[in-house]
Each structure stands twice: as C-alpha cells, then as structure tokens.
C-alpha cells in the first residue's frame, strides 16, 4: 500500500501541464472551478511570471448567489500590500491597501448575486487601477499608490491563511463566496499552476 501511494505521488509529479489541464476542474479555461461555501475553499496562484503592475490586466467570469465573500485579490507578501474585490450585500466592493493609501470603494451599480454570469477585468495603468464589470468602467482614475514592484501572487474565491494578517479589510465579514469562476486570464503570466483547495466542478 505504501509503495503504491509513493508511485501515485511520482505520477502526479511527472504530469505535464497539458495532462493536468485534462482535469474537469480548470479555472484557466471554460471548465472553471466551483468555490464551496467553506472557509478553506479557494484557488491560489503562488507566483506570477512577472509582477502584476503597469499595463497588466486580470480578467475572468463568475456567477454566484452569495451575498458576501472574497472574489479575488492580488498581493505582495513582502510589502503587505494588496488590491482585491469582494461581494458585500450582493454588491462588488473594491479594496486597496498600500503603504501610503487604504481605501474601500463600493460599486453601487453592480449587484452580482443573481446567479447569472458576470465578467470582471482589473487593469493597472502606471499607478492607477481600472475596474471593469460587465463592460462598464469604474474607478479608472483612482490612484493605487502601491509599491512599484507590483503584485506577485493571486488568490480567488477566498483568503489564503498566509495572507490573513494583512488582508484584514476582508476579515470579519459574514459568509464566504460560493459559485463558479472560469476563464481566468492574467497578462502578467502564471509561473506556478493553480492550487485548488476545497473546490469542485462547475455545473
């Protein structure tokens, strides 16, 4: 039994990216991943190919009936800075935490807890962030005075335990995101494959 277990570990280690993408769960494709209403449920990309900064964009599709929960955040553990979006009372809320600026902004026109597919794009242009929801632009001139080296990792659908001490504006909120996230694209590139914790197939 032990030998069989070790062999299975080696098979998984030896899989190519293409083989792993044959899984029914793939947040980078139209297959997507279903985030469960559990505190540990999330998808983590530990390392981007380039720090997410000027000229980069993150986009994906999602659907949910959750009134609250973290949708995504980009962060740099070295500087304890992050930007992200959560759902609060069914509306999208945009969070910025930099060494020289902290802000929480509600997208009052974007209620997304209707169980329908929605698209979201977050772009950085120099030190400004632009949020695009279902094709509509928000906060395009809002300054993000974060460290110029950019954000190194990305989490979707929940909070990674190692980030909990500084992603504090997300904490203390009731509920957890539940729903599907698919077609994730980050123009900064992805260096490490997504790590899935407590997720299932999208319906």
């Amino acid at each position: 039994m032990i030998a069989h277990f070790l062999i299975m570990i080696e098979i998984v280690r030896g899989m190519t990216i293409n083989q792993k993408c044959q899984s029914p769960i793939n947040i980078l494709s139209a297959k997507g991943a279903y985030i469960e209403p559990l505190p540990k449920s999330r998808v983590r990309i530990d390392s981007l190919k380039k720090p997410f900064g000027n000229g980069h964009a993150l986009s994906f599709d999602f659907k949910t009936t959750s009134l609250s929960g973290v949708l995504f955040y980009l962060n740099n553990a070295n500087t304890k800075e992050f930007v992200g979006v959560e759902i609060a009372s069914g509306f999208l809320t945009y969070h910025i935490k930099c060494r020289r600026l902290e802000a929480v902004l509600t997208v009052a026109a974007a209620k997304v807890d209707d169980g329908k597919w929605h698209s979201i794009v977050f772009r950085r242009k120099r030190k400004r962030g632009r949020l695009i929801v279902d094709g509509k632009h928000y906060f395009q001139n809002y300054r993000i005075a974060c460290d110029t080296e950019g954000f190194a990792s990305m989490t979707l659908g929940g909070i990674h335990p190692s980030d909990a001490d500084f992603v504090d504006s997300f904490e203390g909120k009731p509920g957890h995101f539940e729903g599907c996230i698919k077609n994730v694209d980050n123009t900064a590139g992805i260096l490490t494959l997504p790590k899935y914790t407590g997720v299932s197939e999208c319906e």
Side-chain angles (χ1 to χ4, degrees):
M1 180 65 72
I2 293 175
H4 177 71
F5 179 70
L6 292 175
I7 289 171
M8 289 303 295
I9 290 176
E10 290 305 318
I11 289 173
V12 171
R13 285 178 179 170
M15 288 174 68
T16 66
I17 290 177
N18 287 336
Q19 287 172 320
K20 289 181 179 180
C21 287
Q22 299 306 311
S23 165
I25 299 173
N26 183 3
I27 204 166
L28 306 178
S29 76
K31 294 177 182 178
Y34 190 88
I35 308 296
E36 299 286 353
L38 306 169
K40 68 176 183 178
S41 186
R42 63 183 179 272
V43 181
R44 171 77 162 193
I45 296 174
D46 286 323
S47 300
L48 302 176
K49 280 188 178 179
K50 297 178 181 178
F52 189 97
N54 180 36
H56 290 138
L58 164 66
S59 63
F60 59 89
D61 302 316
F62 71 95
K63 68 175 179 178
T64 183
T65 56
S66 298
L67 284 172
S68 61
V70 174
L71 191 55
F72 82 89
Y73 63 92
L74 294 148
N75 71 291
N76 189 326
N78 294 329
T79 60
K80 308 296 185 184
E81 298 177 326
F82 81 95
V83 295
V85 172
E86 72 169 339
I87 300 171
S89 300
F91 293 94
L92 293 180
T93 304
Y94 178 34
H95 292 249
I96 305 166
K97 184 176 182 180
C98 304
R99 284 182 288 186
R100 294 181 294 276
L101 170 72
E102 288 191 40
V104 179
L105 308 167
T106 299
V107 185
K111 203 167 192 298
V112 296
D113 60 336
D114 54 7
K116 298 178 181 179
W117 284 106
H118 296 275
S119 65
I120 189 166
V121 181
F122 175 69
R123 289 194 178 121
R124 285 197 70 180
K125 185 175 181 180
R126 298 183 180 88
K127 289 195 174 184
R128 298 190 184 278
R130 177 177 297 182
L131 193 64
I132 306 168
V133 182
D134 295 334
K136 296 181 180 179
H137 293 242
Y138 301 93
F139 312 125
Q140 55 186 317
N141 293 317
Y142 206 91
R143 185 175 177 82
I144 302 175
C146 287
D147 196 289
T148 54
E149 67 183 78
F151 302 107
S153 59
M154 175 171 68
T155 307
L156 300 108
I159 297 175
H160 192 277
S162 65
D163 301 333
D165 62 333
F166 65 90
V167 191
D168 48 4
S169 61
F170 283 145
E171 292 187 326
K173 306 290 178 64
H176 186 281
F177 178 85
E178 178 184 5
C180 281
I181 298 176
K182 67 178 183 179
N183 296 325
V184 173
D185 182 43
N186 191 323
T187 61
I190 294 172
L191 187 62
T192 57
L193 287 171
K195 294 180 180 178
Y196 300 94
T197 304
V199 305
S200 57
E201 297 179 41
C202 276
E203 297 177 355

